[in-house]
């Protein structure tokens, strides 16, 4: 099944998407409330909505919120070798992928408070002059687990969705000189959607570490990159197992695959030169699509101004030494 969260006059509502039509569940039911067990509660709610929907709406007539509007946590991994080597080349020509990358599936925590819907506008981060997108797929945790093996982790994934990890590259590169982060370089927006597609719908496309699904990224209608999801080096089951090592994963947690090959402008800058393609500007529309999972299409808008943290103090040679 495919589940969406959409905006109505009464607030956010959950619906089951079938053949381009949204079948609404009862008011007040959140998608995250239907998680937590082996999938029975979610499946039962979906079947009930298809039999007796509270309302029926065309998908193109609703405003989509993220399927999980405020996930408990968002972990974003780096699992595509082509992306790693391409972005590394920005700093070092012909840079090698670090050996450690093949030993552990590294990730960072993103901001669960800044997730947006599949068609929402995304503002430029304050002070950003080199804005970028990242085409990813994310797994959604269906029930709590701790210190899982990859085999056990498979039963904790309820489904998948498309993810755009918006990136302020100039802010990211600057702040990571302090050997921590990314922080503000990844803080303004993460698009999730359009629907949570349950794991069973993808099983027939299982291939290698992942699924044989075509991924595509376009800016203003021009395709700039494509890849196959099964090019992931680490599997989603391994990502969930690593995320749960020594801690918990909770229902609604988002586990991002990281950017696919040619799935961002930064990789193109690394391979073809920093000026080979311009960064995103206000007015640009970014469309990311993944087979079976759907499409995200967000327009970039002007963002907030930078609010200085403190007045700059200029130290001269005449200042007293203390």
């Amino acid at each position: 099944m495919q589940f969406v969260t959409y905006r109505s006059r009464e607030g956010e509502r959950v619906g089951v998407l079938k053949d381009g039509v949204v079948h609404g569940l009862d008011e007040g039911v959140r998608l995250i409330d239907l998680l937590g067990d082996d999938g029975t509660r979610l499946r039962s709610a979906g079947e009930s909505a298809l039999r007796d929907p509270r309302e029926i709406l065309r998908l193109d007539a609703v405003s989509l919120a993220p399927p999980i509007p405020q996930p408990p946590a968002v972990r974003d991994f780096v699992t595509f070798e082509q992306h790693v080597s391409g972005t590394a080349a920005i700093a070092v020509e012909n840079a090698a992928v670090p050996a450690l990358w093949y030993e552990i599936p590294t990730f960072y925590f993103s901001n669960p408070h800044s997730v947006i819907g599949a068609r929402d506008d995304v503002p430029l981060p304050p002070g950003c002059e080199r804005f970028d997108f990242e085409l990813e797929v994310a797994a959604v945790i269906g029930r709590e687990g701790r210190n899982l093996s990859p085999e056990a982790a498979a039963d904790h994934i309820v489904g998948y969705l498309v993810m755009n990890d918006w990136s302020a590259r100039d802010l990211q590169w600057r702040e990571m000189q302090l050997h921590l982060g990314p922080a503000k370089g990844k803080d303004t927006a993460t698009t999730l959607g359009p629907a949570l597609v349950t794991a069973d719908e993808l099983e027939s496309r299982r291939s290698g570490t992942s699924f044989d699904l075509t991924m595509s990224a376009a800016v203003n209608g021009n395709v700039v990159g494509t890849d196959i999801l099964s090019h992931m080096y680490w599997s989603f089951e391994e990502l969930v197992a690593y995320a749960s090592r020594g801690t918990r994963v909770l229902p609604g947690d988002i586990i991002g695959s990281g950017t696919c090959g040619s799935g961002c402008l930064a990789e193109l800058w690394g391979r073809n030169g920093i000026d080979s393609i311009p960064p995103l500007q206000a007015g640009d529309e970014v469309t990311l699509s993944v087979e079976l999972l759907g499409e995200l299409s967000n327009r970039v808008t002007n963002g907030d101004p930078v609010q200085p943290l403190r007045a700059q103090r200029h130290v001269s040679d005449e200042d007293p030494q203390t």
Side-chain angles (χ1 to χ4, degrees):
M1 290 185 188
Q2 300 187 18
F3 292 85
V4 298
T5 297
Y6 62 100
R7 303 175 180 111
S8 69
R9 286 175 297 182
E10 294 77 26
E12 292 174 345
R13 296 188 64 166
V14 175
V16 180
L17 177 61
K18 185 174 182 180
D19 299 328
V21 176
V22 176
H23 302 71
L25 276 68
D26 290 332
E27 288 183 33
V29 175
R30 303 180 305 164
L31 189 52
I32 199 169
D33 297 331
L34 301 175
L35 307 180
D37 62 0
D38 62 357
T40 299
R41 189 184 304 125
L42 182 65
R43 184 170 54 255
S44 176
E47 291 171 348
S48 177
L50 291 174
R51 286 194 309 269
D52 183 23
R54 294 298 173 261
E55 60 180 357
I56 297 177
L57 300 164
R58 297 192 324 273
L59 178 63
D60 58 11
V62 301
S63 172
L64 290 172
I68 307 290
Q70 188 169 321
V74 180
R75 295 173 176 88
D76 199 8
F77 284 79
V78 187
T79 68
F80 289 85
E81 187 175 18
Q82 178 182 325
H83 169 73
V84 177
S85 62
T87 54
I90 295 175
V92 180
E93 187 175 357
N94 298 320
V97 177
L100 185 59
W101 184 83
Y102 299 98
E103 299 177 21
I104 54 172
T106 187
F107 71 92
Y108 75 95
F109 281 100
S110 191
N111 186 352
H113 308 299
S114 65
V115 298
I116 61 175
R119 305 177 192 139
D120 291 341
D121 290 343
V122 56
L124 286 165
C128 174
E129 296 182 355
R130 193 163 283 275
F131 198 38
D132 197 0
F133 62 87
E134 292 194 348
L135 170 56
E136 309 187 22
V137 168
V140 180
I141 299 299
R143 59 191 178 101
E144 182 176 338
R146 179 184 178 90
N147 216 38
L148 302 168
S149 68
E151 293 74 22
D155 292 331
H156 289 70
I157 298 173
V158 67
Y160 301 88
L161 42 73
V162 189
M163 176 172 170
N164 187 345
D165 175 33
W166 299 92
S167 302
R169 297 300 186 192
D170 45 349
L171 307 185
Q172 176 187 356
W173 295 335
R174 184 168 184 261
E175 67 192 0
M176 290 186 72
Q177 294 178 47
L178 299 174
H179 306 292
L180 193 64
K184 284 300 170 185
K186 301 278 193 172
D187 210 29
T188 292
T190 300
T191 308
L192 300 177
L196 168 64
V197 179
T198 54
D200 58 295
E201 292 212 6
L202 272 60
E203 278 307 311
S204 64
R205 304 290 288 274
R206 173 79 60 179
S207 176
T209 60
S210 187
F211 305 96
D212 182 20
L213 302 177
T214 299
M215 309 171 72
S216 177
V219 178
N220 299 326
N222 300 312
V223 174
V224 296
T226 62
D227 199 3
I228 306 295
L229 185 59
S230 58
H231 289 165
M232 293 171 63
Y233 179 79
W234 297 97
S235 70
F236 281 109
E237 292 79 8
E238 290 169 323
L239 304 187
V240 173
Y242 190 69
S244 74
R245 184 176 292 179
T247 187
R248 298 182 298 162
V249 290
L250 296 177
D253 278 0
I254 303 296
I255 306 292
S257 67
T259 314
C260 67
S262 71
C264 68
L265 300 180
E267 184 183 328
L268 302 180
W269 297 334
R271 297 190 184 282
N272 305 317
I274 197 71
D275 297 320
S276 59
I277 187 169
L280 299 174
Q281 309 174 47
D284 286 339
E285 185 170 17
V286 176
T287 302
L288 308 183
S289 60
V290 180
E291 275 190 280
L292 301 186
L293 299 183
E295 178 180 285
L296 311 176
S297 189
N298 303 97
R299 187 172 298 278
V300 179
T301 62
N302 288 313
D304 297 321
V306 173
Q307 298 292 340
L309 299 182
R310 61 175 64 179
Q312 294 297 313
R313 177 175 178 268
H314 298 283
V315 179
S316 70
D317 293 338
E318 288 73 32
D319 282 344
Q321 301 296 309
T322 58

